[in-house]
Amino acid sequence: RAYGEGGQGYVRSEGGGVVVLRTTERTRSNRDRSYATILATGLNSAGRTNGISLPSREMQASLLRDVYRRHDLDPNDLAFIEGHGTGTKVGDPAELWAIGTELGQKRNQRLLVGSVKSNVGHSEPASGMFGLIKAALALQHDFLPASLHAPELNSEIDFEGLNVEINRSGHSLSRGQRRRLAGVNSFGFGGTNAHIVLADPEKAAVSDAGTLPSGPFMVSAQTRSALEGLLENYVQELKGDRPDRHELVAVSALNRTRHKHRFAVDSEDPDVVRKGAEEFLAGSSTGLG
């Protein structure tokens, strides 16, 4: 019940998450897809406190102040904050006081705040990863999913004075001329506070036939059956009318490990590649390896 009046603590859950980190230069040169760009990160520690249920709001505020000032980030560019939000009587007011004091009150509009813990529970060491993934996907899809179980807001929090709003219903995230930011809070049992600021990624370069890599179509897999399954998927994709069929063929062999079982067609034509894969699956051609 993050930020709700009925919050009495958190509900444990289990899970894990993985993200792939690449430099912007590497992503740009490979023309890869990117979900978000990391603009800034920060860590501090509250030191010795009276227990895990009594965090230091001053240290949380200090962390946010340092991250946004040091990197010259404007709070008005924030689309939302993905909060820690454990749903405790003391922890939630402390977090929102820090967010509101350092970010909300410096904005022209209310700052949306939510917590994925209200959706999936508190996955403890992995909880920050869920918040990070949620934030990246929200930017990608232009939509912030609702935080749940707070029909009545915590009466100890001055939402209006702090200029913050709990995202209790799904919220569309509009795009403009400026990149959108998203902040993610994650706090540890031992008093460590972490914050990360994401932004919309660079727009991927639009490829055309003149800029696509040239070369044969080639895919590989660890086993024969895995190779056949991969080719079946390619056949289905190349049968359709998707506009990027040429791109699909052109990048088939890029940035991929060469496994033992391989198949190749010396052509860049999607229809020729599809026909060759069909013949291979039917047993009338040998492929490679």
Side-chain angles (χ1 to χ4, degrees):
R1 300 179 181 274
Y3 315 116
E5 181 68 12
Q8 297 179 352
Y10 68 86
V11 177
R12 285 188 169 96
S13 66
E14 294 186 7
V18 176
V19 297
V20 177
L21 301 180
R22 293 172 296 191
T23 65
T24 299
E25 291 75 16
R26 174 71 178 274
T27 304
R28 187 186 299 134
S29 65
N30 288 346
R31 292 178 299 184
D32 290 335
R33 176 182 63 181
S34 180
Y35 287 97
T37 298
I38 299 173
L39 291 187
T41 61
L43 288 169
N44 72 8
S45 176
R48 184 175 182 179
T49 64
N50 291 326
I52 64 173
S53 62
L54 295 171
S56 169
R57 68 179 193 173
E58 288 78 14
M59 291 305 294
Q60 292 180 23
S62 175
L63 172 66
L64 296 176
R65 184 166 57 250
D66 177 63
V67 168
Y68 285 82
R69 286 184 181 178
R70 178 159 45 91
H71 295 275
D72 195 26
L73 301 176
D74 186 349
N76 283 295
D77 291 334
L78 282 165
F80 60 90
I81 290 287
E82 171 61 20
H84 184 65
T86 52
T88 60
K89 282 290 187 179
V90 179
D92 285 356
E95 181 183 19
L96 287 188
W97 179 87
I99 292 173
T101 299
E102 294 301 329
L103 303 175
Q105 293 176 347
K106 300 174 182 178
R107 286 170 49 91
N108 300 323
Q109 297 180 332
R110 288 274 189 102
L111 177 56
L112 283 175
V113 180
S115 174
V116 74
K117 291 183 180 69
S118 71
N119 307 93
V120 301
H122 193 328
S123 52
E124 299 188 335
S127 61
M129 187 64 74
F130 283 120
L132 176 65
I133 292 172
K134 173 192 169 184
L137 290 175
L139 289 176
Q140 181 196 17
H141 294 287
D142 302 324
F143 186 80
L144 183 62
S147 287
L148 308 179
H149 312 307
E152 185 179 354
L153 295 176
N154 191 317
S155 59
E156 299 296 320
I157 301 172
D158 181 9
F159 292 94
E160 184 173 353
L162 294 171
N163 201 30
V164 296
E165 177 183 346
I166 302 306
N167 180 50
R168 291 186 287 175
S169 59
H171 193 94
S172 296
L173 304 174
S174 60
R175 293 178 181 262
Q177 295 299 315
R178 293 174 63 85
R179 64 184 178 184
R180 301 169 301 177
L181 307 183
V184 182
N185 271 347
S186 186
F187 307 143
F189 282 148
T192 298
N193 303 313
H195 188 77
I196 186 169
V197 183
L198 303 180
D200 288 316
E202 290 184 350
K203 291 184 178 180
V206 177
S207 61
D208 56 53
T211 62
L212 289 174
S214 60
F217 172 88
M218 200 277 281
V219 292
S220 66
Q222 296 279 17
T223 65
R224 170 78 180 218
S225 61
L227 178 62
E228 291 175 350
L230 181 60
L231 288 174
E232 288 171 357
N233 289 334
Y234 268 102
V235 167
Q236 292 303 314
E237 293 298 327
L238 296 175
K239 274 183 178 178
D241 57 357
R242 54 185 291 174
D244 60 344
R245 293 198 312 153
H246 285 87
E247 287 90 336
L248 191 64
V249 170
V251 301
S252 63
L254 292 182
N255 300 320
R256 288 170 169 81
T257 300
R258 272 53 163 176
H259 297 299
K260 179 179 179 180
H261 295 267
R262 306 177 185 184
F263 173 84
V265 176
D266 190 13
S267 175
E268 300 173 19
D269 186 318
D271 292 323
V272 173
V273 171
R274 176 180 55 79
K275 182 178 179 181
E278 289 175 334
E279 291 176 352
F280 175 76
L281 291 170
S284 58
S285 65
T286 58
L288 267 183

